[in-house]
Amino acid sequence: MAEYDLTQKLIPHLDRHLAIPLLNHLTDVAIFPADQLAKAQYDLVKGTNMVDYVESLHEQSGSGESRDFAKLREEATARYQELQEKAQPVMKVIEDPDAVAKLRSGVDKDKNLDLLKSEYNIDIDQINALYHFGQYQYTLGAYAPAANFLYHFLIFSPSLDLNISAHWGKLSSNILTGEWDAALTEIKDLRDAIDNPHGTSMAKPLAQLQARTWLLHWSLFVFFNLGEGQGCQGLLDMFLSPAYLNTIQTSCPHLLRYLVAAAVISRRAPKPAGTRGNRDHVKELTKIVQMEEYQYSDPITGFLKDLFADFDLNQAQQRLTVAESVVRSDFFLSGFADEFVENARWLISEVFCRIHRRIDIGQLSKTLNLSNEEGEKWIVNLIRDSRMGVEAKIDLKENMLHITRPHATPTATLIETTRGLAFRSQAIQFAMQSTGGGGERAERGERGERGGRGGGRGGRPRAGASAREEVAA
C-alpha cells in the first residue's frame, strides 16, 4: 500500500502540527520502515517549541544531532513570559464578561477600538500582542488556549492580513482539539476571505490559488470527521464548485481520491435539503476522473472509471478489492472502509441490473464476493431500496433474477435531460465572466480578440472550458 499512500503529497500543503497525526497514523499501519518514520517525525517537529515532545522523538529516532534541550526549554519559557506580559492588558479585558459582551455587540471594529482606547487604554499594538501570544501558544502545542486568544483577537483587530492569518491558526487549533463545528465555521470564513480578497495579500491570482489549495487540504480533517451525511456532502459541494474544482485540476489532482470516496461513501446517506442527488455527483466525477487520468489515478478513482466509463464489471470488482485496502490504510478514509465497500457493491449491483434483463444470482454473488445466500439477501435489499425504477422478480427454481424496465414517458425524459442544466449554466456564466474581459472591451469590439486570454481567479478559464465541453457533449 506504500505506493498509494498520499502523505508525501499532502504534507507540503499542511501546517506541521496538522501533519503530526498523519505520520502517527503511518506508524500505526506500518507500511513504511519504523526507523524512517521516526526520523521523519523528528524532522517535522524539531522546528516547533514543543521541547519535551521533540526531545522524546530525538531519542527514538537515534539522531546524531546534538541539541541542548534544557537551554531550549529555558528560551521557550522566557519567550512565553515575555509575550504573556505584553498581552496581559487585553487578557484582563477578555476575562471581564461585561466588556466582552459590549465588544461582541459592536458591529464596527473602529468603534470597538475607540472603546478599548477610551475605557481600557488599549492600543492596536497591545491587540496585536494578543495575536502573537496566541500564535506562540500554538507552537507550544497548547491548541485550546491558542484558539481562544485568536478568537478574541478577531473580535478586536481591524488588520485584514493579520485576521486571515488568525483564521488559519484558529482553524488548525479547532482541528487539533476536535472542535469540528467551530472548524467548519472557520472554513466558511476563510473561503469567503479567499473568494473576496478586498485588497489583501490574496488578491493576486497565484496567492489565491495557493490559499485555495491549502483550504482544500485542511478541510479534509473537518469534513471526514463530520460524518457521511453532513461531512461528505459538504466536501462534495465545496470541492465541485467551479473555483475549487479548478484548483484541484491545476495544483492538487491527488484530492480526486477524496472526491470519489466521498461520493461513494455518501451514496445512500440522507441528503441535506437543497443539495443535488449523489447520482449526479458520480456521473460528473466519472468525467473528471477520465479527464485527469493522465495526472492522477489510483484504485479508488480507477474503480469509478471501470464501472461507469468502461462498464467493465470484472475489472471493477478486482479494483474494489485493492481499493478497500487503500481506504483502510488512508488517514482520512480508514473510518469509512465498511461504508465504502458496501456502497461500492451497491453501485456494481445497480450497473449490473441496468445492463441485464436476466441475472444469474450465483454469478452476481460471485462478482460481489458474496455467498449465494448473502447474494440473495443483497439483491432483495437492492431492489427494495434502490432508485433504479425497475421491477424485479426472483425465480428460486432457476436461481435467476428477472428485471422489467418500464418505458420512460416523454415528460420524465425531459426532466432527466434538463436536470443538470442550472449547474451547467452557472459554469458557463463563470466562463463568460472570466473570458469576456468586461463590458468596456465588448463595446470596443475586442471581445473576440482578447476573450481567450482569461483573467479569472486561480485558472477559472479551464473550468469554463470543461463546462462548455460538457454541454456540447
Side-chain angles (χ1 to χ4, degrees), residues 108-125:
D108 190 345
K109 288 193 175 183
D110 290 333
K111 291 183 179 179
N112 282 347
L113 288 174
D114 293 339
L115 180 66
L116 288 171
K117 181 66 176 176
S118 60
E119 294 193 16
Y120 303 100
N121 197 29
I122 291 175
D123 57 21
I124 191 66
D125 291 334

Side-chain angles (χ1 to χ4, degrees), residues 228 232-233 236 259-269 271 275-285 343 347 387:
E228 60 187 67
C232 289
Q233 193 63 47
L236 289 166
L259 255 177
V260 173
V264 175
I265 290 167
S266 62
R267 178 68 182 85
R268 293 181 297 141
K271 305 297 185 296
T275 58
R276 288 183 292 158
N278 215 56
R279 190 183 305 277
D280 294 338
H281 287 317
V282 168
K283 289 181 179 179
E284 183 180 352
L285 279 172
N343 286 303
L347 290 173
R387 294 163 288 177

Side-chain angles (χ1 to χ4, degrees), residues 392-412:
K393 295 180 181 179
I394 296 178
D395 186 344
L396 295 177
K397 181 182 261 187
E398 298 184 6
N399 201 34
M400 298 291 291
L401 177 68
H402 299 271
I403 295 178
T404 305
R405 295 179 181 80
H407 294 289
T409 63
T411 303

Side-chain angles (χ1 to χ4, degrees), residues 116-419:
L116 288 171
K117 181 66 176 176
S118 60
E119 294 193 16
Y120 303 100
N121 197 29
I122 291 175
D123 57 21
I124 191 66
D125 291 334
Q126 291 171 311
I127 293 174
N128 291 342
L130 185 64
Y131 164 82
H132 294 299
F133 186 50
Q135 184 186 47
Y136 196 74
Q137 289 268 23
Y138 179 81
T139 67
L140 293 171
Y143 304 121
N148 181 50
F149 290 136
L150 293 174
Y151 167 76
H152 286 96
F153 170 78
L154 288 167
I155 295 176
F156 304 146
S157 172
S159 171
L160 294 177
D161 286 329
L162 273 184
N163 285 356
I164 290 173
S165 178
H167 276 300
W168 285 111
K170 187 171 181 298
L171 171 58
S172 184
S173 299
N174 290 145
I175 289 171
L176 292 165
T177 54
E179 298 289 340
W180 305 119
D181 291 334
L184 183 61
T185 301
E186 289 301 319
I187 287 176
K188 293 176 181 177
D189 290 342
L190 275 168
R191 184 177 176 182
D192 181 64
I194 293 168
D195 294 343
N196 305 286
H198 299 305
T200 63
S201 58
M202 287 188 295
K204 297 178 181 179
L206 187 59
Q208 198 172 44
L209 175 66
Q210 185 182 49
R212 285 191 176 126
T213 303
W214 288 352
L215 188 60
L216 286 166
H217 285 80
W218 293 33
S219 67
L220 293 174
F221 291 91
V222 180
F223 288 130
F224 283 115
N225 277 284
L226 287 174
E228 60 187 67
Q230 180 187 6
C232 289
Q233 193 63 47
L235 183 147
L236 289 166
D237 291 342
M238 175 176 165
F239 282 38
L240 287 175
S241 61
Y244 286 86
L245 180 58
N246 238 338
T247 302
I248 292 172
Q249 293 173 311
T250 303
S251 64
C252 47
H254 53 271
L255 293 186
L256 287 175
R257 168 186 293 186
Y258 300 107
L259 255 177
V260 173
V264 175
I265 290 167
S266 62
R267 178 68 182 85
R268 293 181 297 141
K271 305 297 185 296
T275 58
R276 288 183 292 158
N278 215 56
R279 190 183 305 277
D280 294 338
H281 287 317
V282 168
K283 289 181 179 179
E284 183 180 352
L285 279 172
T286 302
K287 297 177 182 178
I288 296 170
V289 166
Q290 284 183 283
M291 188 189 313
E292 302 301 326
E293 188 179 15
Y294 74 99
Q295 289 196 91
Y296 178 79
S297 65
D298 65 20
I300 297 174
T301 60
F303 167 76
L304 203 69
K305 177 178 176 291
D306 291 338
L307 192 58
F308 290 101
D310 301 335
F311 295 97
D312 189 338
L313 300 181
N314 291 330
Q315 179 65 23
Q317 187 272 330
Q318 295 172 14
R319 188 97 68 171
L320 178 59
T321 304
V322 183
E324 180 181 0
S325 300
V326 173
V327 169
R328 292 191 184 279
S329 63
D330 187 279
F331 174 80
F332 296 106
L333 302 178
S334 56
F336 297 96
D338 294 336
E339 290 86 348
F340 177 84
V341 173
E342 183 178 358
N343 286 303
R345 284 176 176 167
W346 277 80
L347 290 173
I348 292 175
S349 304
E350 287 191 3
V351 172
F352 204 95
C353 292
R354 289 178 182 278
I355 294 175
H356 301 85
R357 289 184 179 274
R358 296 176 71 251
I359 298 173
D360 187 325
I361 295 177
Q363 180 184 355
L364 179 57
S365 301
K366 184 179 179 181
T367 301
L368 299 174
N369 287 332
L370 299 172
S371 65
N372 283 341
E373 184 178 352
E374 291 173 334
E376 289 180 9
K377 293 179 181 178
W378 181 273
I379 290 169
V380 169
N381 291 330
L382 171 70
I383 300 302
R384 180 189 301 154
D385 299 339
S386 72
R387 294 163 288 177
M388 293 188 297
V390 300
E391 297 178 1
K393 295 180 181 179
I394 296 178
D395 186 344
L396 295 177
K397 181 182 261 187
E398 298 184 6
N399 201 34
M400 298 291 291
L401 177 68
H402 299 271
I403 295 178
T404 305
R405 295 179 181 80
H407 294 289
T409 63
T411 303
T413 303
L414 178 63
I415 292 173
E416 182 65 27
T417 303
T418 59
R419 189 185 299 274

